[in-house]
Amino acid sequence: MKIKVCDLVPGYILTKDVMGKTARPIMPKGTLLTQKMINVLKEFGIEEVDAGRYNSRKEAEEGVKEENQEMATVPEAFRERYTSAVGSYKKMFQSWQSGSKVSVGAVRDFFIPLFEFIEQDPGKIRIIHQYATKEEYIYHHAISVGLLSGAIAQKLQLGKGTCYQAALAGCLADAGMAKVPAHLLRKSASLTKEEYEEIRNHPVYGLKMVQHSPLLKSETKLAILQHHERLDKSGYPFGEKPDRIPILSRIVAVADVYHAIVCDHIYKKRKIPFQAIEELLEDHFGEFDIAVIHALIPLVAHLTIGSKVFLSNHEEAEVLYIKPSAPIKPLVKIFSNNEMVDLESRPDLFITELIR
């Protein structure tokens, strides 16, 4: 039924899209209205909407509560365990370089307790990229990709055992780098064709290192082999077709590239999480599973209504509304001129930083 916006109260549900001046809706059908959303409708000059019956006060309050949640503070205990895990991985990696065999059990013993922190509160994962250093990137990368892979699997509602296997696959994905000449891992200049080909062999080396472990399932070992495969068949080592790349491989692929983008390297500077997601969705369009990227977004680029952000035009703005279809392209209000901008309809404008 038609309801005047001035008569709306938190808890109504839109039964039709609310359209603005563009082809995309300001708010889609099914949106549970909160007071901030009602204020957005008023600012757009919307006089009436199609909305359903009023929901319970409890449900409306839950919606408001969810809007205003702050990013969880990362406790010192988590950081200490993370740092310890990086140190343990470094020692193992160096032993693999010297010819030692991979003990998946030993990796599991120091890594899974760390992942259990993420299991209980995935919000802890949002800033782990800030711990990485250029000099020890490869060790931080292993731990972070493992945590990201397990957290993505959890977001996709895979079983607990599968989440653990995803986490181990991410952690061990680059184990094969231990068989690559060490000087190539430190090289800051451009690689030669031969050197690049040697680097590209690391997934095969990694599989050989873990293939006899009974602690890893076959799909976990496959993820270690396939984490550089792409859905558009542009990946390596085999350029597999999409139907031959299972979910764990797709998860580790996204986690691996995301973490690489948000970290500083000897040869390039890092990007912020919002830019990394943008790059995955646009610059790498067709390469990755969209469902996996969408599972990653709330873990690393979480926005809420009322969040303060910096935009790529150096303006400061406030998030007014977030569309489920465009979680990093919200409707914002620019502080300097009170202009409301739908970032989904502005490919030239994007969020560069979240202001806490």
Side-chain angles (χ1 to χ4, degrees):
M1 61 179 176
K2 295 281 187 183
I3 299 177
K4 291 186 180 298
V5 171
C6 62
D7 293 330
L8 287 172
V9 291
Y12 274 97
I13 290 181
L14 295 176
T15 55
K16 288 186 179 180
D17 291 343
V18 177
M19 305 303 295
K21 295 180 180 179
T22 68
R24 296 185 177 92
I26 297 171
M27 292 184 190
K29 173 184 175 181
T31 298
L32 174 63
L33 294 177
T34 64
Q35 189 57 53
K36 287 185 178 180
M37 294 179 186
I38 294 169
N39 292 341
V40 169
L41 294 172
K42 290 177 180 178
E43 292 199 48
F44 265 92
I46 305 297
E47 296 183 355
E48 62 179 19
V49 297
D50 288 276
R53 289 187 301 175
Y54 186 72
N55 287 315
S56 70
R57 178 178 296 274
K58 181 180 178 182
E59 187 174 355
E61 287 174 351
E62 285 298 316
V64 174
K65 182 180 177 181
E66 185 176 343
E67 274 186 355
N68 295 317
Q69 283 181 335
E70 294 290 334
M71 182 176 72
T73 301
V74 177
E76 191 61 32
F78 172 76
R79 182 162 186 167
E80 288 176 359
R81 194 177 285 271
Y82 171 89
T83 302
S84 175
V86 171
S88 296
Y89 181 85
K90 178 180 179 179
K91 289 179 182 177
M92 289 190 178
F93 188 89
Q94 291 172 338
S95 74
W96 302 336
Q97 287 179 306
S98 300
S100 297
K101 292 184 178 180
V102 174
S103 170
V104 175
V107 174
R108 181 190 59 185
D109 288 347
F110 74 75
F111 180 73
I112 292 301
L114 175 66
F115 176 63
E116 286 172 346
F117 272 86
I118 297 298
E119 255 195 320
Q120 295 163 12
D121 181 7
K124 295 183 179 73
I125 211 166
R126 291 177 196 152
I127 64 169
I128 58 171
H129 62 281
Q130 297 178 10
Y131 301 156
T133 63
K134 286 186 280 190
E135 296 75 20
E136 301 211 320
Y137 166 77
I138 195 166
Y139 314 124
H140 285 271
H141 186 65
I143 300 303
S144 294
V145 172
L147 295 177
L148 286 163
S149 296
I152 291 170
Q154 188 178 24
K155 276 289 181 184
L156 291 171
Q157 299 183 328
L158 303 183
K160 186 169 184 175
T162 303
C163 292
Y164 279 22
Q165 289 289 310
L168 286 170
C171 184
L172 290 165
D174 279 350
M177 285 290 195
K179 302 306 177 184
V180 172
H183 72 276
L184 295 184
L185 304 182
R186 299 188 298 268
K187 188 173 181 180
S188 57
S190 298
L191 298 173
T192 65
K193 182 179 179 181
E194 291 74 18
E195 290 171 337
Y196 183 58
E197 287 302 315
E198 179 60 20
I199 292 285
R200 284 165 60 105
N201 285 329
H202 79 269
V204 176
Y205 297 153
L207 175 63
K208 289 180 179 178
M209 292 165 70
V210 302
Q211 63 182 345
H212 298 302
S213 173
L215 299 178
L216 299 178
K217 293 186 176 181
S218 58
E219 56 265 36
T220 308
K221 296 172 185 177
L222 190 59
I224 292 170
L225 176 66
Q226 291 188 333
H227 70 281
H228 283 288
E229 296 288 357
R230 301 293 181 256
L231 301 186
D232 63 357
K233 300 187 288 186
S234 66
Y236 65 87
F238 304 118
E240 293 284 14
K241 297 178 180 179
D243 60 0
R244 292 178 59 85
I245 305 175
I247 188 62
L248 289 195
S249 302
R250 297 176 183 219
I251 288 171
V252 179
V254 168
D256 176 66
V257 174
Y258 167 79
H259 188 257
I261 296 171
V262 296
C263 288
D264 278 321
H265 299 263
I266 296 172
Y267 53 89
K268 75 175 182 69
K269 296 198 68 171
R270 70 184 181 94
K271 294 182 179 180
I272 66 164
F274 290 98
Q275 292 172 310
I277 295 296
E278 192 88 7
E279 185 170 325
L280 287 171
L281 289 171
E282 297 187 7
D283 296 355
H284 295 280
F285 181 77
E287 294 181 29
F288 301 106
D289 189 321
I290 293 296
V292 173
I293 297 176
H294 281 198
L296 172 66
I297 290 172
L299 293 169
V300 299
H302 180 64
L303 291 171
T304 58
I305 292 176
S307 293
K308 307 297 189 296
V309 297
F310 280 123
L311 303 178
S312 56
N313 62 356
H314 308 296
E315 292 279 5
E316 190 174 335
E318 179 183 2
V319 175
L320 297 179
Y321 179 68
I322 304 164
K323 302 176 190 177
S325 61
I328 63 168
K329 288 280 193 176
L331 178 70
V332 300
K333 182 177 182 178
I334 297 175
F335 288 128
S336 64
N337 57 14
N338 286 328
E339 179 187 1
M340 286 184 291
V341 179
D342 184 355
L343 295 181
E344 190 181 14
S345 63
R346 289 285 302 275
D348 61 312
L349 195 59
F350 54 89
I351 294 172
T352 59
E353 187 176 348
L354 180 62
I355 307 169
R356 288 295 174 190

